[in-house]
Amino acid sequence: MAALSIDLPLSMADVRRLRAGDTVLLSGELYTARDAAHRRFAALLARGEPLPVPPGCCIYYAGPCPAAPGEVIGPCGPTTGARMDAYTPAVLAYGVNALIGKGPLGAAVVAAMRGRAVYFAATGGAGMLIASCVRACEPVAFLDLGAESVYRLRVEQMPVIVAIDATGGNLYENTGN
């Protein structure tokens, strides 16, 4: 089956139609955020303040490496999604509707995703492949965090797989046993 080409930000129609196992090529705007940024997201939300990312956006669990001269970005591979589990339900309630990482997510996050979000898996160890899909990189927030700052990336044809869909379909639970 051919990969689906989908533009970011995802529409809710896209969120609802994607199914675990779909291969997707993402193009458009997404935001990076790892552990330290998510801790700050939680503090902002606890104070009733908006996040430095728009509702309806896609968050990529990554901390880009510095770019070599003449490059847009350095290697930009995914980090383990479960590391953000404590913060993710609140981020989803804020309106984020797509996540990209590697590895399974906890049951509370999967439940919070139902009807509102999709989790894409990006290939771990493929930071250079993913970097080759990045056309623009701009720091957005928490610049003191270095690689864990929030960056806005514009990507073209970034390869991912739907790991957990908005209906609860979950590749990590479909082991074939």
Side-chain angles (χ1 to χ4, degrees), residues 19-39:
R19 292 294 174 261
D22 288 348
T23 56
V24 179
L25 297 171
L26 296 174
S27 296
E29 195 172 87
L30 56 81
Y31 294 82
T32 66
R34 286 183 44 143
D35 316 49
H38 275 78
R39 280 191 290 281

Side-chain angles (χ1 to χ4, degrees), residues 4-20 22 24-27 56 58 97-98 113 115-120 162 164-167:
L4 302 168
S5 289
I6 297 182
D7 290 332
L8 295 171
L10 292 182
S11 68
M12 284 311 295
D14 285 332
V15 169
R16 286 189 291 273
R17 79 178 170 114
L18 290 168
R19 292 294 174 261
D22 288 348
V24 179
L25 297 171
L26 296 174
S27 296
C58 176
N97 69 2
M113 289 174 54
R116 69 166 62 158
V118 62
Y119 176 61
F120 297 105
V162 177
I164 304 170
D165 64 39
T167 69

